[in-house]
């Protein structure tokens, strides 16, 4: 078993790295008697929190609580990846454990009854090791301007497809609901989509998909970046657009429910922006398919809006909407639960 958790690592000592604290994910492995069919069958475990800046040396144990299991695409066979969250020995969630609060929100009766669906579009950039410059770019130089790279094919336009396809296949094997991949507008940048998935499962799956991608780039000798604006200037940033719907939105008359939800999101724009990822002000400039970080607006088929509603949703009078504000380094537990809280509990 490989026990994974994102929330035990990356505190202040990682604050200068991609996305700041809470963005990376670490793991260690152990052998248990099987077969295992549910996370509840697994024992708790621990790690040295003093080595991650999360506990003092004289009381260093942080406890791993298994929460979700996936087939291990690396060891295969009966091996599993286990998503965990982290607690003190007294059972108190540590400060970086964002899953705990998300689970409380998703287990709230009003939220559970609405069967919240999420589809998360995870953008990322592949960097050349040692130089931290996008894959396929000349070292110290720039490729041709954006235009020919989005969803492109060819050795001069698509850089890193072997990594992207290996990740796609590994996620499918693991049981992650990965729904697609595509090359992005900036060369060396790609996207994968997770969902639609219900409630907290969307975040569990996105974190494990990120972990699998990190492992594959490790083998390839390439660096994975979730920085929301890895290259300054006239280059697209990287986001994690979050598509969302509730049962009421998906039923007849749902368009009115969608508009009410968007109005609620607008009233809490500042709070959402504060929770939607580090460095997002470098990305949300009002250019490169974004709305300005200080402005909230929504529109149909408008990729320069904070919230985009699809043409089909408008036509059908029901469906979903897309929150385009989250940065690529956002914590999905925070973002998904906050959207549910704002639209269903406030």
């Amino acid at each position: 078993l490989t026990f994974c958790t994102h929330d035990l690592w990356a505190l202040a000592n990682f604050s200068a790295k991609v996305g700041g604290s809470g963005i990376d994910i670490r793991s260690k492995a152990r052998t248990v008697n099987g077969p295992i069919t549910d996370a509840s069958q697994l024992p708790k475990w621990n790690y040295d929190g003093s080595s991650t800046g999360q506990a003092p040396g004289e009381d260093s144990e942080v406890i791993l609580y298994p929460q979700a299991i996936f087939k291990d695409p690396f060891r295969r066979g009966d091996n599993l990846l286990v998503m965990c969250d982290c607690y003190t020995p007294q059972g108190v969630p540590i400060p970086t454990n964002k899953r705990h609060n998300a689970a409380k929100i998703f287990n709230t009766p009003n939220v559970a009854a609405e069967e919240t669906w999420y589809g998360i579009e995870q953008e990322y950039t592949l960097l050349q090791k040692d130089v931290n410059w996008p894959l396929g770019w000349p070292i110290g130089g720039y490729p041709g301007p954006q235009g020919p790279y989005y969803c492109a094919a060819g050795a001069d336009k698509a850089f890193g497809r072997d990594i992207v396809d290996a990740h796609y296949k590994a996620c499918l094997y693991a049981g992650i609901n990965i729904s697609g991949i595509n090359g992005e507008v900036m060369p060396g940048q790609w996207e994968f989509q997770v969902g639609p998935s219900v409630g907290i499962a969307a975040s569990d799956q996105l974190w494990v998909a990120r972990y699998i991608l990190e492992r594959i780039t490790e083998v390839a000798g390439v660096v994975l970046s979730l920085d929301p604006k890895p290259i300054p200037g006239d280059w697209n940033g990287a986001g994690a657009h979050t598509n969302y719907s509730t049962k009421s939105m998906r039923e007849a008359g749902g368009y009115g429910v969608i508009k009410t939800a968007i109005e609620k999101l607008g009233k809490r724009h500042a709070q959402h922006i504060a929770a939607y990822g580090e460095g997002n002000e470098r990305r949300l400039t009002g250019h490169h398919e974004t709305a300005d970080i200080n402005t909230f607006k929504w529109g149909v088929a408008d990729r320069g809006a904070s919230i985009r509603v699809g043409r089909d949703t408008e036509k059908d009078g029901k469906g979903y909407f897309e929150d385009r504000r989250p940065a690529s380094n956002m914590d999905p537990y925070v973002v998904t639960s906050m959207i549910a809280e704002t639209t269903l509990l406030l």
Side-chain angles (χ1 to χ4, degrees):
L1 301 173
T2 296
F3 282 64
C4 312
T5 177
H6 82 284
D7 66 279
L8 60 147
W9 329 100
L11 288 182
N13 56 323
F14 277 86
S15 62
K17 285 179 68 69
V18 177
S21 61
I23 190 58
D24 71 330
I25 182 168
R26 302 196 193 187
S27 66
K28 60 184 199 173
R30 72 181 295 181
T31 303
V32 299
N33 294 324
I36 302 297
T37 58
D38 190 83
S40 63
Q41 298 173 264
L42 293 168
K44 296 174 185 176
W45 206 12
N46 67 78
Y47 69 93
D48 173 16
S50 69
S51 294
T52 65
Q54 294 171 295
E58 64 272 16
D59 186 15
S60 63
E61 287 190 1
V62 177
I63 312 303
L64 295 166
Y65 285 33
Q67 298 290 358
I69 60 174
F70 302 85
K71 292 169 64 179
D72 186 339
F74 303 104
R75 294 187 176 96
R76 295 184 288 183
D78 292 329
N79 295 289
L80 300 171
L81 299 179
V82 184
M83 188 64 195
C84 304
D85 60 352
C86 303
Y87 297 78
T88 68
Q90 293 74 36
V92 179
I94 65 172
T96 48
N97 181 351
K98 306 304 182 184
R99 191 185 192 282
H100 179 78
N101 186 65
K104 289 198 297 185
I105 290 172
F106 285 117
N107 288 330
T108 301
N110 287 356
V111 176
E114 283 289 348
E115 299 173 10
T116 53
W117 289 6
Y118 296 91
I120 303 174
E121 306 170 29
Q122 177 67 69
E123 295 178 338
Y124 60 94
T125 308
L126 299 175
L127 304 178
Q128 302 170 62
K129 189 181 177 185
D130 299 326
V131 296
N132 283 330
W133 200 239
L135 198 64
W137 291 36
I139 295 176
Y142 296 86
Q146 295 182 153
Y149 308 107
Y150 176 67
C151 295
D156 60 340
K157 295 182 286 293
F159 310 119
R161 190 185 298 277
D162 52 345
I163 294 170
V164 173
D165 279 350
H167 175 249
Y168 197 174
K169 294 171 185 176
C171 285
L172 288 170
Y173 178 91
I176 292 168
N177 190 17
I178 185 169
S179 48
I181 58 98
N182 61 269
E184 269 303 329
V185 177
M186 189 183 86
Q189 196 173 84
W190 294 81
E191 173 184 302
F192 67 88
Q193 303 94 32
V194 168
S197 299
V198 180
I200 205 164
S203 299
D204 288 338
Q205 291 181 25
L206 187 71
W207 269 116
V208 175
R210 285 174 171 177
Y211 172 75
I212 291 171
L213 182 56
E214 191 86 66
R215 288 281 303 274
I216 290 171
T217 55
E218 171 191 323
V219 172
V222 171
V223 175
L224 169 65
S225 171
L226 297 182
D227 191 301
K229 186 72 173 179
I231 304 297
D234 194 17
W235 303 97
N236 274 36
H241 302 155
T242 302
N243 298 275
Y244 170 72
S245 72
T246 65
K247 184 178 180 181
S248 297
M249 294 176 189
R250 297 187 295 269
E251 294 177 344
Y255 196 45
V257 180
I258 288 171
K259 288 193 284 187
T260 298
I262 293 172
E263 183 179 349
K264 291 181 178 180
L265 289 170
K267 291 178 180 178
R268 299 191 75 210
H269 177 63
Q271 294 94 318
H272 279 256
I273 287 294
Y276 273 17
E278 297 292 329
N280 214 9
E281 72 282 352
R282 293 182 284 117
R283 168 180 163 261
L284 297 180
T285 61
H287 304 288
H288 303 108
E289 303 179 44
T290 69
D292 179 83
I293 194 168
N294 297 311
T295 302
F296 181 88
K297 64 175 184 174
W298 74 278
V300 177
D302 183 359
R303 282 180 163 77
S306 311
I307 305 291
R308 182 184 67 88
V309 174
R311 290 285 182 199
D312 286 345
T313 294
E314 181 188 43
K315 177 182 175 182
D316 296 341
K318 59 182 179 180
Y320 70 97
F321 64 81
E322 174 192 48
D323 191 338
R324 298 179 59 82
R325 297 171 294 173
S328 51
N329 59 18
M330 63 82 159
D331 187 329
Y333 293 126
V334 173
V335 169
T336 59
S337 62
M338 194 173 191
I339 292 173
E341 180 183 44
T342 297
T343 58
L344 295 173
L345 298 179
L346 298 180

